Amino acid sequence: MGEPPWVSVVAALQVQVLGPLAVLQNGEAARLPQSKKTRGLLAYLAITGRAHRRDRLCSLLWDVADDPRGALRWSLSKIRPLVDSGTKRCLRADRETVQLDLDDGSLDWRSVRRELASGVALIPSGRLLELASVFRGELLEGLDLLDFDEFTAWCAAEREHARKLQGQILQTLVERLEETPTEALPHARELVRIDPLNEEARARLIRLLALAGRRNEAQAQYESAARMLKELGAGPGGPLLAAWREVNSAAAMTREDAAPVSLSTPAPKESPVLKHRSEGLLVGRQDERARLVSLLDDAAHGSLKIFLLKGESGVGKTRLLTELSDQARRRGCTVFEATAYEAEAGRPYGPWIDALRRLPEEVIANADRPALAPLLPELGESDADSHSRDRLFGAVVDVIAARATEEEPVLLIFDDLHWCDDATAELLHYVARMSLARPVLIVLGARDGELIDNESAMRVLRSFRRDGLIDEHLLLPLTEQEVAVLVQEMDSAADPAEVFALSGGNALLARELAQAALRKGESVPRSLKELVGDRLARLAPEAGDVLRWSAVLGPTFDVSRLTELVSLELDPLMTALTELERHALLESSSTATGTYAFHHALVHRVVYSEISEPRRKLMHLRIARLLEDRNDPDGTIALELAHHASVGGDAAMAARACVVAGNRCLRVFANAEAYTHARRGLRLVEELPDPERLKLRIELEQVSLGAHWPKDAETEARRIEALAEHALDAGCAEHARLGFTLVSYLRWYEGAVGEAHRASLRAEFASRGADDEDRVIGIAEAGRCLVILERDLAQAEALLLEARALTERSGRSAWAVFDGIGLLRLHAGALEEAKGAFEQAWALARKDGNRLQEFMALEHLVTVCIHRREEDEACDYARELAIIGEKLREGSERPLGRAMLALCRYRKDDVDYRRALDDALQALREVDAKQRLAFALTQAATIESERGELESAAARAREAADLGQVLQQPSETALARAVLLRIARERGDLPAMREQASELMKLRGYANHVRAVVERELAASGLSLGSDPSELGVQ
Amino acid sequence: MMARVIVERAFDQPASFADIQAREDQFAWCLEQHRVKFIRSYFSKDRRRMICEYEAPDAETVREVQRTASMPFERIWTAEAFEWE
């Protein structure tokens, strides 16, 4: 049967559910919506592949109280951009039904089901390997919606189905690859991971590990399974126990190139031969190797040497001992080699039995066989005389003594001494005592932190220490350089720095990390999880609980947090921490009091990942709530709170904490961190309902702007303005106001958003106690007021935007809004827009019959037309202005109307109007209307300077400049000085030019249309803004 | 170079100084922005006439503020004070 052609067409749209949900568009991962329900909906539609009624989907994922149909629409709006392209609409929704059509796309789960439909046996191995790699984890990993029973039940069924099919693929692969254990191992491990109670799978894994020379791991697997089965009320049954016995028996056999084993008994019927004793690679440890070899040399001088090699699990003790053993054998030494096992702590003399059994036949040949028979039944029966402990001990000593020569000293290696039984310890002590004057080297390996738990071993060691017989050495983790060598030697693609960081230099962890093919999305190789998990299983329950809370707190944590979380009194907590330190799982900080850290980042990661997700969430949430209850005026714990609340699933709390943390960072000028908090918070708020979402979004935008000025300020301004409008719709007036303030700062300030903090809400004062209409007018007048004074224009814009939004909603226009916006646009130099706004203001004032407002609107229209040099139109408006001015009895309106009309006609070259202008100007002086006077004077000076009437022009401009200064209005001052500069230039008066140019350079905050005039005059004088006026005229 | 500006007010009905003050307080921000500083007021015994004295850049500024605050006034003018030595 020929093999089907395997793929290679990659669909434009790929949906992946075998692992965490992912959507790829043209091979690139798309950003999924934050909302879990939206992702759940997407997954449900993709996997079911058929049309569903809307009400069905609503009941699947939403509560009745949450406006499910609205929420469904919203979710669909988030899904559509992910799955639809310009030409193809995959998401089909009408009023009744919704369907996701992936016929032209791909869904990994669907592909796997189709291929396995006719059974796994017919699929070639190559394809099976590809299918196995499609599984990136559990189906829809991490997507749990436990509050929704129907969805949860559906998801559980799909997961079970996926697990079953994955199991079939893996089982078939393991069977087919049995002859090559290293290739089969990853699949065997994965099979055990997805089906931990499958004894057959576990047994197969143990055998494969043993074949691959990983006995320790095999043991760990056995013990883990035995524990699990015990918890379920069963013991290790047939397949598991049989596999373990096989492995144990095989371990008693020597290597393939050593002398054939003759003492194995009774030989198991199926016994895989142990082919390798070590992993082969030994990095670093030159000092230790040299020391051990020198000890062997010293022992050859005829006296006992005892050496204890201590260190944490996986640091490399066994590898060193193996290296020593190999060296000793090459020298022709007799090596007694054994390891104690935790599982066999109840097996008396276990290590001695193993060691004796490993010896060549000729070594035992001349021994006292009846005396040894209690240990080695295969040597025959023991008689009544020989059946005594003393004879047994004596026989063992004799065996050793017979082989110990100066040329070839005897080497006794006992590894994992912390697990040895009483009997072994006693015999060891006896042998040492009887070998003091013999060329014997005893090397012991033990986990430092666990020795203390073995009283028998401790008793022996104390005796050795007392008698000065023992040297001890603590084996430290590998250095970063050594880890890099290890990674390189293994030809691994892993990043050496990351391997070192994660493993902390622990050789076993580093090796496993370098070796493991890390799956996408998996941060810890499964084999390592088992290794670390095994260590954790040895802990007392209290210590385990403390360790889990510590993991949730983080890789480093304050112990005071722990005291609030674990239900332990202080003493038991300290005991638990001590135990964890002893087991090299935690260490206390030498620099920060009360701070602990995980000894290895990897251990932290494993402990954390072993906590089920729902439980993790609850733990994070508990921590978040504890932190939230604390008084935090400076926001120092906000960062921590944001993390825990976010992982704990409380998006609102997390987002609020992001605001606090972000503001705190801004206060200390940590802008990058502030920006990160803001962006994180903005992602979180999307899960929240309005109005909370809107309020928090605006607060987070404020932090974001404070930290990072956007490239396109106008686009951001429009976006935030829309947000502010929504906030207003939702009744969040204060946040709407803040939003408008942010908009205004985007338009008016280049990065000085810090100003927004101090800006008082002036409109609030203006509208206190007022009804809605008065309130809007109050806000608008406040904005208009600021524009007229050319002060705080950003705040002015914010107020006017708010007022405009309010009036649009109420349907009632306010004159102050139009006029104020017109003035704002005029200041910005947007003369066309300004004119439009003033015309609206004029129309409204006429409609309302408000002459004063009509006058002001017309005044501004004349101003705009003058600046645009629209002389005819200016005259028309000025005529209207003058008519209304005559009707306003009090104030400066009448003289201003006359002055404006006179100016417009004066500009059109009607010199008769100069007298009328002078009279009007005088009247303006008498009513003390400085700003209007200054404007009229400057315009008159401009006209006269253009006509060469420099004397008159200069006098008028000087007066205008002085008035502008009194009023502190930069625009009036700048215009007047620009005219004075021109006059000075016309006169050729360099000092006067320098003086005026210098004064102009000092001015700030004037309107943009005035800026154009200033720049023009400076350019005509050979200068520009920013140049040095003192250089004017210098050749 | 601030001006002394006089505001004349007249009321059809007797007015309460507290009410006038409250209204002006509501627009205190506006006065502050325009640099208009209240000096004193003279209130007639029948409570129908009032003269308020301010210090301000000019009379037009006070007019602008009074209009914004919708405060009633008859006349506003800049004064020069003469005092006996």
Side-chain angles (χ1 to χ4, degrees):
Chain A
M1 180 164 65
E3 291 187 4
W6 302 120
V7 194
S8 259
V9 178
V10 176
L13 174 65
Q14 299 173 62
V15 178
Q16 295 175 346
V17 299
L18 293 174
L21 177 64
V23 173
L24 282 76
Q25 294 161 334
N26 297 313
E28 299 233 348
R31 195 166 159 202
L32 293 177
Q34 281 296 312
S35 162
K36 252 191 174 172
K37 288 183 189 176
T38 304
R39 282 185 269 141
L41 176 65
L42 170 60
Y44 185 78
L45 291 171
I47 291 174
T48 54
R50 59 180 177 77
H52 296 277
R53 289 183 59 79
R54 279 184 181 257
D55 49 14
R56 161 101 181 82
L57 294 173
C58 288
S59 66
L60 186 72
L61 287 164
W62 286 278
D63 289 326
V64 171
D66 290 343
D67 181 18
R69 289 192 84 94
L72 175 64
R73 279 196 299 277
W74 185 85
S75 284
L76 290 173
S77 73
K78 297 294 175 193
I79 292 172
R80 193 173 288 289
L82 287 175
V83 299
D84 284 352
S85 65
T87 50
K88 172 82 182 158
R89 284 178 82 83
C90 297
L91 183 65
R92 297 196 192 129
D94 56 34
R95 289 169 63 89
E96 297 299 321
T97 60
V98 179
Q99 181 179 8
L100 181 60
D101 174 11
L102 289 176
D103 282 346
D104 291 339
S106 86
L107 175 67
D108 52 359
W109 180 216
R110 183 179 62 192
S111 307
V112 167
R113 284 200 311 255
R114 279 182 187 162
E115 288 213 43
L116 265 64
S118 3
V120 70
L122 300 175
I123 302 175
S125 298
R127 184 54 185 156
L128 277 182
L129 283 168
E130 286 174 7
L131 286 172
S133 70
V134 169
F135 288 83
R136 298 170 293 118
E138 183 181 59
L139 184 133
L140 297 179
E141 187 177 300
L143 188 58
D144 295 300
L145 289 159
L146 299 172
D147 292 336
F148 297 91
D149 295 338
E150 201 183 331
F151 179 87
T152 300
W154 166 81
C155 194
E158 289 293 327
R159 281 176 176 160
E160 183 55 40
H161 190 186
R163 209 175 292 127
K164 190 173 154 197
L165 292 188
Q166 189 188 10
Q168 288 175 9
I169 293 169
L170 292 169
Q171 182 139 343
T172 308
L173 277 171
V174 170
E175 284 165 9
R176 292 183 188 179
L177 294 171
E178 226 168 9
E179 299 300 313
T180 46
T182 44
E183 284 186 45
L185 266 176
H187 308 298
R189 283 202 186 96
E190 182 65 5
L191 189 54
V192 164
R193 187 192 70 79
I194 65 171
D195 193 359
L197 297 179
N198 184 335
E199 272 202 67
E200 277 289 349
R202 190 80 70 152
R204 192 169 272 127
L205 174 60
I206 289 172
R207 287 198 187 90
L208 286 169
L209 284 168
L211 279 173
R214 300 189 186 183
R215 198 180 181 288
N216 279 346
E217 199 180 327
Q219 180 186 348
Q221 283 293 335
Y222 170 74
E223 287 171 3
S224 170
R227 220 170 18 249
M228 203 180 312
L229 289 167
K230 189 177 168 189
E231 280 172 17
L232 294 171
L240 193 64
L241 196 56
W244 181 236
R245 282 182 178 149
E246 280 170 30
V247 167
N248 260 330
S249 303
M253 299 168 75
T254 54
R255 282 184 306 169
E256 196 178 354
D257 59 352
V261 173
S262 60
L263 295 177
S264 60
T265 180
K269 301 243 163 42
E270 297 166 21
S271 56
V273 174
L274 201 61
K275 292 190 189 310
H276 307 286
R277 287 195 335 122
S278 75
E279 298 302 321
L281 189 58
L282 177 60
V283 172
R285 310 301 191 198
Q286 276 84 357
D287 290 344
E288 287 84 3
R289 282 193 260 183
R291 190 164 173 196
L292 287 169
V293 167
S294 82
L295 280 170
L296 197 57
D297 294 337
D298 289 346
H301 292 146
S303 62
L304 174 72
K305 296 285 172 230
I306 306 177
F307 186 76
L308 173 61
L309 185 65
K310 300 182 289 189
E312 61 178 67
S313 166
V315 78
K317 302 184 295 299
T318 302
R319 185 63 191 87
L320 262 176
L321 297 182
T322 306
E323 181 73 12
L324 174 65
S325 167
D326 290 347
Q327 284 221 15
R329 283 179 210 279
R330 281 195 288 274
R331 275 171 72 152
C333 301
T334 304
V335 179
F336 290 69
E337 192 176 0
T339 303
Y341 298 104
E342 188 185 19
E344 295 174 11
R347 179 180 168 229
Y349 304 107
W352 281 109
I353 295 170
D354 295 340
L356 289 167
R357 282 209 171 117
R358 290 199 182 109
L359 294 172
E361 168 65 34
E362 65 270 19
V363 174
I364 301 293
N366 300 322
D368 184 353
R369 295 166 80 100
L372 288 174
L375 291 188
L376 306 171
E378 62 272 19
L379 295 182
E381 298 278 335
S382 65
D383 53 38
D385 289 337
S386 51
H387 195 86
S388 80
R389 208 175 81 126
D390 287 345
R391 269 196 69 178
L392 170 62
F393 279 23
V396 173
V397 170
D398 289 341
V399 168
I400 291 169
R403 301 295 295 185
T405 66
E406 286 187 7
E407 294 75 28
E408 295 162 358
V410 164
L411 172 62
L412 271 76
I413 294 180
F414 283 96
D415 201 0
D416 290 337
L417 187 73
H418 48 279
W419 283 327
C420 81
D421 55 284
D422 283 349
T424 295
E426 278 192 50
L427 181 51
L428 176 65
H429 188 264
Y430 183 82
V431 163
R433 206 158 52 77
M434 293 295 122
S435 305
L436 288 174
R438 294 203 172 98
V440 173
L441 172 61
I442 300 176
V443 178
L444 310 168
R447 288 183 195 173
D448 193 33
E450 293 177 54
L451 257 180
I452 199 168
D453 297 327
N454 188 324
E455 184 47 39
S456 310
M458 288 304 295
R459 209 165 33 238
V460 169
L461 289 175
R462 279 197 292 270
S463 172
F464 289 161
R465 286 167 184 151
R466 216 168 25 240
D467 296 339
L469 291 173
I470 191 167
D471 284 334
E472 300 180 41
H473 178 74
L474 178 65
L475 193 62
L476 296 174
L478 297 173
T479 63
E480 190 167 355
Q481 289 76 18
E482 287 166 345
V483 168
V485 169
L486 176 76
V487 170
Q488 191 185 5
E489 289 291 319
M490 292 176 69
D491 275 334
S492 171
D495 174 19
E498 199 189 341
V499 170
F500 179 72
L502 285 173
S503 66
N506 182 290
L508 176 62
L509 298 180
R511 198 188 69 220
E512 292 294 325
L513 277 169
Q515 200 166 52
L518 290 169
R519 286 186 174 198
K520 202 172 178 182
E522 185 185 303
S523 57
V524 182
R526 289 181 181 82
S527 60
L528 273 171
K529 279 191 187 175
E530 285 151 9
L531 277 170
V532 175
D534 180 55
R535 283 168 78 179
L536 304 183
R538 298 172 204 283
L539 298 172
E542 292 83 9
D545 202 34
V546 168
L547 193 67
R548 275 185 287 278
W549 275 110
S550 304
V552 175
L553 280 169
T556 309
F557 58 91
D558 191 326
V559 75
S560 62
R561 295 255 189 275
L562 263 185
T563 56
E564 294 174 87
L565 293 166
V566 299
S567 50
L568 288 176
E569 299 289 327
L570 187 61
D571 281 345
L573 172 61
M574 288 297 122
T575 304
L577 284 170
T578 305
E579 184 183 347
L580 292 168
E581 282 186 275
R582 229 171 10 88
H583 284 266
L585 292 164
L586 292 180
E587 57 188 4
S588 60
S589 167
S590 55
T591 49
T593 319
T595 301
Y596 276 77
F598 276 78
H599 202 56
H600 302 297
L602 198 59
V603 171
H604 167 253
R605 216 182 264 196
V606 169
V607 174
Y608 185 76
S609 66
E610 288 300 298
I611 306 170
S612 70
E613 200 193 319
R615 190 175 172 192
R616 269 207 304 263
K617 268 181 80 166
L618 285 171
M619 291 168 85
H620 277 293
L621 207 52
R622 182 154 162 221
I623 295 171
R625 286 188 183 140
L626 268 171
L627 292 172
E628 201 184 31
D629 286 341
R630 288 191 176 205
N631 190 22
D632 183 28
D634 298 326
T636 45
I637 57 172
L639 168 60
E640 214 184 327
L641 172 57
H643 164 68
H644 288 293
S646 166
V647 182
D650 190 331
M653 196 197 304
R656 285 195 298 271
C658 284
V659 172
V660 175
N663 280 321
R664 180 174 184 272
C665 288
L666 286 175
R667 281 199 295 277
V668 297
F669 309 108
N671 286 352
E673 288 82 354
Y675 188 66
T676 303
H677 290 309
R679 300 330 287 178
R680 183 184 193 182
L682 283 166
R683 285 193 295 274
L684 287 165
V685 294
E686 288 311 311
E687 295 180 39
L688 303 177
D690 289 341
E692 194 169 14
R693 179 183 71 94
L694 287 166
K695 288 172 19 180
L696 283 168
R697 261 194 80 181
I698 290 174
E699 289 176 31
L700 288 159
E701 292 286 359
Q702 183 181 29
V703 174
S704 179
L705 281 177
H708 170 76
W709 196 252
K711 281 194 187 114
D712 186 348
E714 183 51 37
T715 303
E716 282 298 293
R718 281 198 290 271
R719 189 178 63 77
I720 296 177
E721 190 174 349
L723 193 59
E725 301 255 355
H726 285 142
L728 207 56
D729 287 337
C732 310
E734 289 230 11
H735 283 79
R737 186 169 299 143
L738 176 57
F740 289 127
T741 304
L742 295 176
V743 169
S744 66
Y745 278 95
L746 278 163
R747 289 195 172 128
W748 290 97
Y749 279 87
E750 286 294 315
V753 170
E755 298 287 326
H757 285 292
R758 66 124 183 99
S760 61
L761 299 175
R762 297 182 179 88
E764 196 184 336
F765 289 111
S767 61
R768 203 180 295 158
D771 64 22
D772 280 349
E773 189 172 347
D774 285 349
R775 193 172 142 261
V776 170
I777 292 171
I779 293 169
E781 287 288 0
R784 186 174 165 276
C785 180
L786 290 172
V787 185
I788 288 171
L789 294 169
E790 295 189 305
R791 204 169 293 155
D792 206 349
L793 293 167
Q795 179 74 3
E797 170 124 24
L799 292 166
L800 286 164
L801 285 175
E802 184 185 349
R804 183 172 69 182
L806 287 168
T807 53
E808 279 169 1
R809 275 150 185 80
S810 69
R812 301 168 83 157
S813 305
W815 174 88
V817 169
F818 293 118
D819 196 61
I821 287 177
L823 289 168
L824 210 52
R825 295 294 168 256
L826 176 61
H827 197 281
L831 298 182
E832 185 68 38
E833 278 183 63
K835 192 177 174 190
F838 291 138
E839 278 167 353
Q840 282 181 294
W842 184 34
L844 187 61
R846 275 182 300 173
K847 182 172 153 248
D848 291 344
N850 189 319
R851 284 205 180 119
L852 183 58
Q853 288 179 350
E854 220 186 311
F855 183 90
M856 286 192 278
L858 279 165
E859 176 188 356
H860 300 143
L861 279 165
V862 174
T863 305
V864 169
C865 290
I866 286 175
H867 286 302
R868 284 163 63 113
R869 304 239 169 205
E870 291 166 349
E871 289 167 9
D872 289 337
E873 216 172 336
C875 268
D876 292 340
Y877 284 131
R879 213 172 288 119
E880 294 281 346
L881 185 74
I883 292 170
I884 296 175
E886 295 302 318
K887 295 175 183 165
L888 293 167
R889 61 179 182 85
E890 170 57 27
S892 58
E893 283 73 31
R894 184 183 297 175
L896 180 67
R898 291 177 185 172
M900 288 292 224
L901 186 58
L903 270 171
C904 289
R905 286 177 171 164
Y906 193 18
R907 180 169 281 287
K908 285 182 82 172
D909 224 13
D910 195 329
V911 295
D912 283 342
Y913 279 89
R914 184 170 173 159
R915 179 71 184 269
L917 175 61
D918 285 341
D919 288 345
L921 290 173
Q922 183 55 30
L924 282 171
R925 285 188 195 95
E926 284 165 9
V927 295
D928 197 16
K930 290 187 169 74
Q931 194 267 327
R932 283 169 165 169
L933 176 61
F935 176 78
L937 282 166
T938 305
Q939 293 308 313
T942 304
I943 296 167
E944 283 167 355
S945 68
E946 284 168 4
R947 291 180 185 171
E949 296 167 33
L950 300 181
E951 200 71 40
S952 174
R956 297 195 202 278
R958 226 175 278 121
E959 188 185 351
D962 291 341
L963 290 169
Q965 204 121 345
V966 167
L967 294 169
Q968 294 179 2
Q969 284 193 315
S971 289
E972 295 301 342
T973 312
L975 269 174
R977 294 235 175 249
V979 175
L980 286 167
L981 175 59
R982 162 193 266 173
I983 293 168
R985 186 174 70 248
E986 295 289 332
R987 285 174 172 166
D989 184 352
L990 269 175
M993 282 173 71
R994 286 191 201 111
E995 184 200 341
Q996 296 306 325
S998 174
E999 290 299 320
L1000 276 169
M1001 303 287 191
K1002 290 179 201 166
L1003 288 171
R1004 296 282 181 273
Y1006 46 83
N1008 280 351
H1009 66 275
V1010 173
R1011 188 186 182 92
V1013 173
V1014 168
E1015 284 175 346
R1016 190 177 65 223
E1017 293 303 332
L1018 284 171
S1021 306
L1023 289 167
S1024 61
L1025 280 170
S1027 58
D1028 185 356
S1030 63
E1031 291 177 2
L1032 193 57
V1034 174
Q1035 295 295 330
Chain B
M1 283 177 61
M2 297 291 267
R4 199 54 69 94
V5 179
I6 304 297
V7 176
E8 293 180 40
R9 306 188 202 278
F11 310 106
D12 295 333
Q13 299 295 324
S16 145
F17 183 73
D19 288 345
I20 306 276
Q21 189 65 55
R23 187 160 188 85
E24 195 152 286
D25 283 348
Q26 200 175 0
F27 286 86
W29 62 270
C30 187
L31 271 76
E32 186 196 325
Q33 288 300 310
H34 283 83
R35 296 184 294 141
V36 174
K37 187 177 157 194
F38 171 74
I39 306 295
R40 62 178 65 84
S41 283
Y42 297 94
F43 214 171
S44 66
K45 282 209 165 170
D46 63 3
R47 298 288 186 260
R48 288 173 191 271
R49 293 202 155 278
M50 189 179 192
I51 290 177
C52 298
E53 189 182 339
Y54 297 92
E55 190 181 87
D58 64 355
E60 189 63 26
T61 303
V62 177
R63 277 186 213 109
E64 179 68 31
V65 167
Q66 297 297 313
R67 283 173 185 152
T68 302
S70 302
M71 295 283 282
F73 63 89
E74 296 276 303
R75 272 175 292 277
I76 297 179
W77 39 274
T78 301
E80 194 181 341
F82 291 94
E83 294 180 48
W84 291 109
E85 293 292 333

